[in-house]
Amino acid sequence: MTNQPWQVQIKIQRQRAGEKPYVQAFALEVDPDEYVLDAVERIWAFHDRTLTYRHACHHSTCGACGMRVNGREKLTCITTIRSVTQNGGTIRIDPLRNFPVVSDLVVDMGDFFLRMNKSDFNSVAPDNAARLPYEHPKKLETQTEGEPERLVDCIECGLCISACPAANTDKEYVGPAVLAAIHLMYTQNPSQKLINQADDHSGLWRCHSAYECTEVCPSGVDPAWRIMDMRKTVFKDRVKSIIKPRLPEKKDA
Amino acid sequence: MPNQPDSNNWPRWFDPRSRSLGTFGYILNRVTALGLTLYLMMHLVALGQLARGADAYDGFIALVKNPLFKLGELLVIAAGVIHGLNGIRIALNSFGIGVRRQKSTFITLMLIAVFIIVFFAFKMFSEG
């Protein structure tokens, strides 16, 4: 340890699927510069092997370790203990909201991933399309032949869905990450299919401007900005369809 | 409350704990909308007094001159001003205008709302 160790209490919401949740407290000695995920792992390793949680990369790339830390959605692999408590303090850890709890801190994100797939979300994109349109282009250090590609910012961690008040009450709402994915794909390959997906009462129009998605996003995707920008596109499309009505789509025989 | 989306989770809309400024705007708009709806219903009941004759209406008017009712009227003005100004921000944002400045827009509009509410409070309570 590089610092004087801290004594902290970690309170974790425990729950088996379908059973009533309860809170279990663990007393731990930690380095304040450790991450919250390190503390959770130590609880599993030395205190209770039945504790379940998701983790993989430990450097904010896989999006697996999203939890609520003191009520706020965080990627626990990049959230230092120092940033959420003090020596002698308490950290409360809960599973993400708006997803069914499978066990303890593990939530079922199956529906969310299926919705992402429906938007044809591709996690690799040309560099100029992967960034937010209002960001200034960064000069790439290494030039490759052809158009350089990179991973897009969204890591599908689900923090935005957990923080969204509209997703809290509407099962059908696709949520900020999916709408941001539709926007991202539309900027690369504009299509009527993507507009139709977004232009739905469970799509763009369910957002009620709380901006929590952008606040909690650990990757700078800015879903709220993307939702509002996509609304502009949908609005223009609707106006266009009034001036020049679209022909009905040909149905397969 | 269940962890997964459920229409019964609506009380969470009003929980400001661990939330950012955007949610405060979201909560304010809902609270003021409910207040204004309640006022509209009360207003319609009050207008109904007209149908019961001049004496009933005069009695009602005498009642609403009570300072407590004046405070209620001030709350209606406050709700209308806050809801209206916040609504302008949301309408502009919804068409992609000023989204990245939504926080500063919210603070500015709420400061304007406070100024208007204080002005009305002064006018209403200083005139006796």
Side-chain angles (χ1 to χ4, degrees):
Chain A
M1 290 191 180
T2 53
N3 296 293
Q4 195 69 19
W6 281 10
Q7 304 295 326
V8 296
Q9 190 181 44
I10 299 195
K11 289 184 172 176
I12 299 181
Q13 180 180 304
R14 308 290 307 268
Q15 187 179 10
R16 293 285 173 263
E19 292 178 16
K20 266 193 123 180
Y22 63 95
V23 177
Q24 190 173 5
F26 300 91
L28 230 59
E29 187 178 280
V30 294
D31 180 331
D33 288 330
E34 277 183 298
Y35 298 101
V36 172
L37 183 59
D38 298 329
V40 173
E41 289 201 304
R42 198 160 330 132
I43 290 169
W44 171 80
F46 300 113
H47 295 262
D48 189 342
R49 300 285 277 198
T50 67
L51 176 68
T52 51
Y53 59 100
R54 294 197 314 152
H55 67 115
C57 77
H58 288 236
H59 58 256
S60 71
T61 300
C62 71
C65 66
M67 299 169 200
R68 279 187 299 136
V69 179
N70 294 340
R72 198 67 171 150
E73 287 74 10
K74 302 270 187 195
L75 267 193
T76 50
C77 68
I78 52 168
T79 304
T80 59
I81 289 172
R82 186 189 293 283
S83 69
V84 290
T85 190
Q86 58 196 352
N87 192 8
T90 300
I91 303 173
R92 170 73 190 244
I93 304 176
D94 294 273
L96 291 182
R97 272 199 285 226
N98 306 334
F99 296 99
V101 173
V102 176
S103 173
D104 297 334
L105 302 169
V106 180
V107 292
D108 181 358
M109 298 175 80
D111 272 356
F112 165 56
F113 293 140
L114 287 173
R115 283 170 176 164
M116 288 296 275
N117 276 353
K118 274 190 192 162
S119 71
D120 298 333
F121 179 64
N122 188 351
S123 52
V124 177
D127 180 62
N128 62 348
R131 82 173 78 84
L132 281 157
Y134 61 73
E135 283 177 332
H136 293 295
K138 286 174 194 149
K139 200 179 172 192
L140 293 170
E141 285 174 11
T142 51
Q143 285 294 337
T144 53
E145 278 184 32
E147 196 170 8
E149 292 187 326
R150 56 166 258 209
L151 285 169
V152 299
D153 290 327
C154 182
I155 55 173
E156 302 179 60
C157 60
L159 299 198
C160 57
I161 310 252
S162 174
C164 175
N168 183 34
T169 45
D170 187 353
K171 278 190 178 86
E172 303 305 317
Y173 178 43
V174 296
V178 177
L179 292 170
I182 290 172
H183 178 268
L184 179 75
M185 299 318 295
Y186 187 83
T187 54
Q188 292 173 55
N189 294 307
S191 74
Q192 193 60 42
K193 179 195 156 198
L194 289 169
I195 289 184
N196 293 346
Q197 270 184 15
D199 187 9
D200 188 271
H201 71 278
S202 297
L204 282 180
W205 310 109
R206 181 60 65 213
C207 166
H208 291 297
S209 317
Y211 297 96
E212 291 293 342
C213 49
T214 290
E215 288 291 331
V216 300
C217 179
S219 286
V221 173
D222 202 347
W225 184 87
R226 288 183 182 277
I227 289 170
M228 301 309 170
D229 198 58
M230 195 67 201
R231 276 183 179 171
K232 266 198 295 194
T233 305
V234 168
F235 182 70
K236 278 180 202 160
D237 179 72
R238 282 198 182 191
V239 171
K240 238 192 267 175
S241 71
I242 293 168
I243 297 165
K244 192 183 171 191
R246 273 191 290 274
L247 292 170
E249 282 177 29
K250 194 182 169 186
K251 284 182 182 162
D252 293 336
Chain B
M1 275 179 273
N3 199 66
Q4 61 266 47
D6 192 301
S7 52
N8 292 325
N9 286 347
W10 64 267
R12 278 195 192 144
W13 289 345
F14 301 96
D15 183 356
R17 288 174 298 171
S18 307
R19 294 295 195 180
S20 60
L21 203 60
T23 292
F24 283 87
Y26 178 88
I27 293 171
L28 264 181
N29 246 30
R30 266 132 203 88
V31 170
T32 52
L34 288 172
L36 288 169
T37 307
L38 181 70
Y39 170 74
L40 179 66
M41 287 191 280
M42 286 164 60
H43 186 63
L44 291 174
V45 170
L47 286 180
Q49 299 295 318
L50 279 170
R52 295 174 59 195
D55 287 347
Y57 188 73
D58 287 347
F60 177 76
I61 291 297
L63 179 71
V64 296
K65 287 200 169 162
N66 183 304
L68 208 63
F69 274 86
K70 266 194 174 179
L71 184 68
E73 282 176 350
L74 183 64
L75 285 176
V76 171
I77 290 168
V81 170
I82 291 169
H83 195 85
L85 290 175
N86 201 12
I88 290 169
R89 174 186 70 108
I90 292 166
L92 290 173
N93 288 178
S94 291
F95 291 100
I97 302 164
V99 180
R100 298 192 61 223
R101 286 187 291 274
Q102 60 91 12
K103 277 187 194 172
S104 50
T105 312
F106 177 68
I107 292 167
T108 308
L109 290 173
M110 289 306 103
L111 285 173
I112 293 170
V114 168
F115 177 79
I116 295 171
I117 295 161
V118 168
F119 172 78
F120 272 99
F122 184 76
K123 287 283 277 181
M124 287 166 73
F125 287 96
S126 65
E127 284 171 6

